[in-house]
PDB file of all heavy atoms in Angstrom:
ATOM      1  N   MET A 230      -2.286  17.820  11.298  1.00 91.00           N
ATOM      2  CA  MET A 230      -3.144  16.670  11.659  1.00 91.00           C
ATOM      3  C   MET A 230      -2.903  16.204  13.111  1.00 91.00           C
ATOM      4  O   MET A 230      -3.781  15.627  13.723  1.00 91.00           O
ATOM      5  CB  MET A 230      -2.855  15.497  10.722  1.00 91.00           C
ATOM      6  CG  MET A 230      -3.254  15.663   9.305  1.00 91.00           C
ATOM      7  SD  MET A 230      -2.561  14.369   8.219  1.00 91.00           S
ATOM      8  CE  MET A 230      -3.066  12.850   8.978  1.00 91.00           C
ATOM      9  N   MET A 231      -1.704  16.405  13.595  1.00 93.00           N
ATOM     10  CA  MET A 231      -1.274  15.815  14.870  1.00 93.00           C
ATOM     11  C   MET A 231      -2.209  16.143  16.065  1.00 93.00           C
ATOM     12  O   MET A 231      -2.570  15.210  16.778  1.00 93.00           O
ATOM     13  CB  MET A 231       0.164  16.168  15.175  1.00 93.00           C
ATOM     14  CG  MET A 231       1.120  15.385  14.325  1.00 93.00           C
ATOM     15  SD  MET A 231       2.831  15.595  14.780  1.00 93.00           S
ATOM     16  CE  MET A 231       2.874  14.796  16.364  1.00 93.00           C
ATOM     17  N   PRO A 232      -2.622  17.393  16.287  1.00 95.00           N
ATOM     18  CA  PRO A 232      -3.492  17.626  17.454  1.00 95.00           C
ATOM     19  C   PRO A 232      -4.812  16.828  17.410  1.00 95.00           C
ATOM     20  O   PRO A 232      -5.226  16.269  18.413  1.00 95.00           O
ATOM     21  CB  PRO A 232      -3.753  19.120  17.413  1.00 95.00           C
ATOM     22  CG  PRO A 232      -2.585  19.697  16.666  1.00 95.00           C
ATOM     23  CD  PRO A 232      -2.229  18.640  15.648  1.00 95.00           C
ATOM     24  N   ALA A 233      -5.411  16.751  16.234  1.00 95.00           N
ATOM     25  CA  ALA A 233      -6.686  16.002  16.103  1.00 95.00           C
ATOM     26  C   ALA A 233      -6.443  14.508  16.293  1.00 95.00           C
ATOM     27  O   ALA A 233      -7.221  13.828  16.952  1.00 95.00           O
ATOM     28  CB  ALA A 233      -7.321  16.269  14.754  1.00 95.00           C
ATOM     29  N   LEU A 234      -5.339  14.013  15.762  1.00 94.00           N
ATOM     30  CA  LEU A 234      -5.040  12.580  15.908  1.00 94.00           C
ATOM     31  C   LEU A 234      -4.665  12.248  17.363  1.00 94.00           C
ATOM     32  O   LEU A 234      -5.033  11.181  17.872  1.00 94.00           O
ATOM     33  CB  LEU A 234      -3.916  12.162  14.963  1.00 94.00           C
ATOM     34  CG  LEU A 234      -4.323  12.082  13.493  1.00 94.00           C
ATOM     35  CD1 LEU A 234      -3.099  11.833  12.614  1.00 94.00           C
ATOM     36  CD2 LEU A 234      -5.363  11.022  13.247  1.00 94.00           C
ATOM     37  N   GLU A 235      -3.943  13.123  18.038  1.00 95.00           N
ATOM     38  CA  GLU A 235      -3.599  12.884  19.440  1.00 95.00           C
ATOM     39  C   GLU A 235      -4.861  12.867  20.289  1.00 95.00           C
ATOM     40  O   GLU A 235      -5.022  11.997  21.170  1.00 95.00           O
ATOM     41  CB  GLU A 235      -2.632  13.957  19.949  1.00 95.00           C
ATOM     42  CG  GLU A 235      -1.248  13.804  19.385  1.00 95.00           C
ATOM     43  CD  GLU A 235      -0.327  14.965  19.665  1.00 95.00           C
ATOM     44  OE1 GLU A 235      -0.806  16.030  20.142  1.00 95.00           O
ATOM     45  OE2 GLU A 235       0.875  14.845  19.396  1.00 95.00           O
ATOM     46  N   LYS A 236      -5.785  13.776  20.011  1.00 96.00           N
ATOM     47  CA  LYS A 236      -7.058  13.795  20.724  1.00 96.00           C
ATOM     48  C   LYS A 236      -7.836  12.514  20.457  1.00 96.00           C
ATOM     49  O   LYS A 236      -8.422  11.925  21.364  1.00 96.00           O
ATOM     50  CB  LYS A 236      -7.892  15.020  20.291  1.00 96.00           C
ATOM     51  CG  LYS A 236      -9.221  15.127  20.968  1.00 96.00           C
ATOM     52  CD  LYS A 236      -9.987  16.354  20.509  1.00 96.00           C
ATOM     53  CE  LYS A 236     -11.343  16.383  21.197  1.00 96.00           C
ATOM     54  NZ  LYS A 236     -12.208  17.392  20.606  1.00 96.00           N
ATOM     55  N   PHE A 237      -7.820  12.066  19.199  1.00 95.00           N
ATOM     56  CA  PHE A 237      -8.496  10.830  18.814  1.00 95.00           C
ATOM     57  C   PHE A 237      -7.938   9.646  19.602  1.00 95.00           C
ATOM     58  O   PHE A 237      -8.716   8.835  20.154  1.00 95.00           O
ATOM     59  CB  PHE A 237      -8.303  10.628  17.299  1.00 95.00           C
ATOM     60  CG  PHE A 237      -8.638   9.253  16.808  1.00 95.00           C
ATOM     61  CD1 PHE A 237      -9.955   8.879  16.613  1.00 95.00           C
ATOM     62  CD2 PHE A 237      -7.645   8.324  16.542  1.00 95.00           C
ATOM     63  CE1 PHE A 237     -10.276   7.600  16.185  1.00 95.00           C
ATOM     64  CE2 PHE A 237      -7.936   7.048  16.113  1.00 95.00           C
ATOM     65  CZ  PHE A 237      -9.256   6.697  15.932  1.00 95.00           C
ATOM     66  N   LEU A 238      -6.631   9.520  19.694  1.00 95.00           N
ATOM     67  CA  LEU A 238      -6.014   8.412  20.427  1.00 95.00           C
ATOM     68  C   LEU A 238      -6.450   8.409  21.889  1.00 95.00           C
ATOM     69  O   LEU A 238      -6.815   7.370  22.452  1.00 95.00           O
ATOM     70  CB  LEU A 238      -4.487   8.485  20.371  1.00 95.00           C
ATOM     71  CG  LEU A 238      -3.799   8.153  19.057  1.00 95.00           C
ATOM     72  CD1 LEU A 238      -2.291   8.348  19.159  1.00 95.00           C
ATOM     73  CD2 LEU A 238      -4.116   6.741  18.590  1.00 95.00           C
ATOM     74  N   ARG A 239      -6.448   9.580  22.512  1.00 96.00           N
ATOM     75  CA  ARG A 239      -6.826   9.693  23.923  1.00 96.00           C
ATOM     76  C   ARG A 239      -8.310   9.351  24.140  1.00 96.00           C
ATOM     77  O   ARG A 239      -8.663   8.656  25.091  1.00 96.00           O
ATOM     78  CB  ARG A 239      -6.504  11.067  24.474  1.00 96.00           C
ATOM     79  CG  ARG A 239      -5.010  11.297  24.547  1.00 96.00           C
ATOM     80  CD  ARG A 239      -4.616  12.636  25.137  1.00 96.00           C
ATOM     81  NE  ARG A 239      -3.189  12.841  25.030  1.00 96.00           N
ATOM     82  CZ  ARG A 239      -2.271  12.254  25.770  1.00 96.00           C
ATOM     83  NH1 ARG A 239      -2.625  11.419  26.717  1.00 96.00           N
ATOM     84  NH2 ARG A 239      -0.986  12.522  25.597  1.00 96.00           N
ATOM     85  N   GLU A 240      -9.168   9.832  23.249  1.00 96.00           N
ATOM     86  CA  GLU A 240     -10.603   9.545  23.370  1.00 96.00           C
ATOM     87  C   GLU A 240     -10.897   8.057  23.165  1.00 96.00           C
ATOM     88  O   GLU A 240     -11.699   7.473  23.880  1.00 96.00           O
ATOM     89  CB  GLU A 240     -11.401  10.385  22.372  1.00 96.00           C
ATOM     90  CG  GLU A 240     -11.462  11.847  22.750  1.00 96.00           C
ATOM     91  CD  GLU A 240     -12.163  12.733  21.730  1.00 96.00           C
ATOM     92  OE1 GLU A 240     -12.540  12.230  20.645  1.00 96.00           O
ATOM     93  OE2 GLU A 240     -12.284  13.935  22.000  1.00 96.00           O
ATOM     94  N   GLU A 241     -10.221   7.461  22.180  1.00 96.00           N
ATOM     95  CA  GLU A 241     -10.458   6.024  21.924  1.00 96.00           C
ATOM     96  C   GLU A 241      -9.930   5.183  23.077  1.00 96.00           C
ATOM     97  O   GLU A 241     -10.526   4.159  23.407  1.00 96.00           O
ATOM     98  CB  GLU A 241      -9.835   5.607  20.594  1.00 96.00           C
ATOM     99  CG  GLU A 241     -10.534   6.176  19.391  1.00 96.00           C
ATOM    100  CD  GLU A 241     -12.014   5.840  19.339  1.00 96.00           C
ATOM    101  OE1 GLU A 241     -12.397   4.672  19.569  1.00 96.00           O
ATOM    102  OE2 GLU A 241     -12.812   6.755  19.048  1.00 96.00           O
ATOM    103  N   PHE A 256       0.798   6.971  24.256  1.00 97.00           N
ATOM    104  CA  PHE A 256       0.248   7.241  22.942  1.00 97.00           C
ATOM    105  C   PHE A 256       1.372   7.575  21.989  1.00 97.00           C
ATOM    106  O   PHE A 256       2.327   8.225  22.355  1.00 97.00           O
ATOM    107  CB  PHE A 256      -0.737   8.414  23.020  1.00 97.00           C
ATOM    108  CG  PHE A 256      -1.791   8.240  24.067  1.00 97.00           C
ATOM    109  CD1 PHE A 256      -1.593   8.706  25.351  1.00 97.00           C
ATOM    110  CD2 PHE A 256      -2.962   7.567  23.777  1.00 97.00           C
ATOM    111  CE1 PHE A 256      -2.555   8.538  26.335  1.00 97.00           C
ATOM    112  CE2 PHE A 256      -3.944   7.378  24.751  1.00 97.00           C
ATOM    113  CZ  PHE A 256      -3.734   7.865  26.038  1.00 97.00           C
ATOM    114  N   GLN A 257       1.205   7.155  20.745  1.00 95.00           N
ATOM    115  CA  GLN A 257       2.222   7.448  19.735  1.00 95.00           C
ATOM    116  C   GLN A 257       1.583   7.617  18.360  1.00 95.00           C
ATOM    117  O   GLN A 257       0.799   6.782  17.935  1.00 95.00           O
ATOM    118  CB  GLN A 257       3.256   6.321  19.682  1.00 95.00           C
ATOM    119  CG  GLN A 257       4.366   6.589  18.731  1.00 95.00           C
ATOM    120  CD  GLN A 257       5.443   5.502  18.771  1.00 95.00           C
ATOM    121  OE1 GLN A 257       5.320   4.531  19.505  1.00 95.00           O
ATOM    122  NE2 GLN A 257       6.487   5.659  17.995  1.00 95.00           N
ATOM    123  N   LEU A 258       1.957   8.698  17.716  1.00 93.00           N
ATOM    124  CA  LEU A 258       1.643   8.948  16.325  1.00 93.00           C
ATOM    125  C   LEU A 258       2.941   8.983  15.542  1.00 93.00           C
ATOM    126  O   LEU A 258       3.927   9.547  16.001  1.00 93.00           O
ATOM    127  CB  LEU A 258       0.959  10.316  16.150  1.00 93.00           C
ATOM    128  CG  LEU A 258      -0.445  10.431  16.664  1.00 93.00           C
ATOM    129  CD1 LEU A 258      -0.870  11.899  16.644  1.00 93.00           C
ATOM    130  CD2 LEU A 258      -1.399   9.592  15.830  1.00 93.00           C
TER     131      LEU A 258
END
Side-chain angles (χ1 to χ4, degrees):
M230 293 168 53
M231 286 187 68
L234 288 173
E235 288 170 350
K236 181 180 178 191
F237 166 79
L238 288 178
R239 292 183 187 285
E240 288 175 356
E241 290 304 315
F256 307 91
Q257 183 176 2
L258 288 170

